[in-house]
Amino acid sequence: MANDATENTEAMPGQIETDYTIGQDNLKGKIAGVRFDIHNPVFVISAIAIVLFVFYTLLFPNQAKSLFQAMFNLATQQFDWYFLTAVNIIVIFALFLVFSPYGKIRIGGPDATPDHSYPSWLALLFSAGVGIGLMYYGVAEPMTHFSNALSGEITENGTRIDVAPLGGAAGDTNEALRIGMASAIYHWSLHAWAVYGMVALSLAIFCYNKGLPLSIRSAFYPLLGDRVWGFWGNVIDTIAVFATLFGLATSLGLGAAQANAGLNELFGVPISTTTEVLLILGITAIAMVSVLRGLEGGVKVLSEINMSAAVLLALFVLVTGPTLYLLTFFWDSLMAYGQYMIPLSNPFGREDVNFSQDWTAFYWAWWISWSPFVGMFIARVSRGRTVREFLICVMIVPTLACAAWMAIFGGAAFHQLLEQGHSAVQEAALPLQLFKMLGELPLASITSFIGIVLVIIFFVTSSDSGSLVIDTITAGGKVESPTPQRVFWCIFEGAVAIALLLGGGLASLQSMVLSTGILFTAVVLIMCWSLLKGLQMEPETPPT
């Protein structure tokens, strides 16, 4: 069997024997001198559907806007329980694997050694899974949940219209602060990273231990056998393409909105859909240059720059802000998260249904839509780790890092509001709140400019690496495919983001994430079942 990711490893007991070879169903050739090597029918169906979607949205924006709003309402109001239940199941299954005998199984076989040192591996895990979201929501989400919780219950004609998490804490500033931070951390911690961990672990086990191609369909071999290379595998990969593409488009839309807000704050650039479209066009062009430079010269270099700059910005806020307050606030926020995690995870009979629908359901769909993209990346860098080691690191370390980011940036904004009486952050629109917080600290113009640059680079690296993953899926699992194919997906990621912005703004972006998330959530749940069967197939399941 041909496998780019495992071609340098010797055959091991437990590998799956199959006659399938990577690219066997691909269409190859040249059109006008442009070479292509695409999987039929995954590329063809995905590409045609995306092109038609973009043209429909641009030609009929009002009709599209109504459709997207209806899809959003259906997904949040009818499937909120589904998203919450599914992610709870994924977390429980991940914890089961950590404490079970399967936790001792090593990715790549008993003699495999890690490809990366611990510091490098952990940095790769975090940089892979956190894109534009933390820049956009790092200040905005804690402040929004706090404000809603402080306001408490609001009714209109006997119906609750507020989005206060857990019903809020009307008038109790300290409790509203704890609920607000717990809710923000909840969306960026254990549950979210368990989704990434399950997809990544499935891909890694079936690639490095079972000798199958590094593709989404490979994870379903125990359930489908060789049928995974046919119709059902094509369906799985096509759903993964749609989920990834719309998940990335949502991130690009958020990034454009925040970059626009920062440019308006610093240079007076007007806040408008036109500006955001121009930003998406410009940054997509930069992402294309990165795609042309390849993984080592493009994504890797930008990711290293981005992570270094993000850490320096967080340290700057920590040192120049209320340092002792922020350190204490981080610990208090973790304690609040531990206290409220189970109530926030409850999928049924909630009084704060507006919060669970508008925030949590959207978040879980968004994380799930990113899981093929992030899971494939994490799988590629995790050979040599045990299942237990892998899951603990993938779930716990990024959880602490995200909580620290929320505590530093959100905590600085809370200190400005509650201790210094500055309400600029609370009164600002969500995309602008990061810059309003930085505006109260030293060197505000410099740090705000760095913030804009970070947003843009996160934008570029998400688009670039997402293009690589989508191209791998639509090239039948080939890691090295013609560059024009990656350029194609890079262009259409930007096109989808623009189409959705013109067809209804953020609500349309969210509606497509939720809609594709409904399908891929089922894929991830079945993947967990298949992973368990795959682990049971290991020739020497370690004893307890």
Side-chain angles (χ1 to χ4, degrees), residues 234-246:
N234 295 335
V235 170
I236 290 166
D237 279 351
T238 302
I239 293 173
V241 170
F242 289 148
T244 303
L245 192 65
F246 287 114

Side-chain angles (χ1 to χ4, degrees), residues 98 116 176 200 222 296 340 354 363 369 386 399 437 457 502 504 515 522 543:
V98 168
H116 303 276
E296 292 294 321
Y340 291 116
N354 290 340
Y363 260 118
S369 71
T386 67
T399 288
M437 183 276 291
I457 299 178
L502 296 176
S515 301

Side-chain angles (χ1 to χ4, degrees), residues 135 262 265-267 309 312-313 316-317 434-435 438-439 441-454:
M135 293 297 296
E265 183 76 359
L266 287 181
F267 307 113
L312 288 175
L313 183 61
F316 174 84
V317 174
L434 169 67
F435 303 106
L438 293 174
L441 299 176
L443 306 175
S445 297
I446 295 175
T447 56
S448 293
F449 182 74
I450 292 173
I452 295 173
V453 172
L454 274 171

Side-chain angles (χ1 to χ4, degrees), residues 28-87:
K28 304 175 185 178
K30 282 186 178 181
I31 297 179
V34 177
R35 193 164 60 91
F36 62 89
D37 187 352
I38 59 177
H39 187 277
N40 180 40
V42 175
F43 181 96
V44 176
I45 293 175
S46 301
I48 291 175
I50 295 301
V51 170
L52 291 176
F53 170 83
V54 169
F55 277 107
Y56 166 75
T57 307
L58 294 178
L59 291 175
F60 306 101
N62 293 330
Q63 187 181 76
K65 184 176 181 179
S66 299
L67 175 63
F68 294 147
Q69 187 60 55
M71 291 168 62
F72 180 85
N73 292 338
L74 175 66
T76 56
Q77 295 172 13
Q78 303 299 323
F79 288 91
D80 56 322
W81 64 270
Y82 167 72
F83 287 118
L84 269 70
T85 301
V87 175

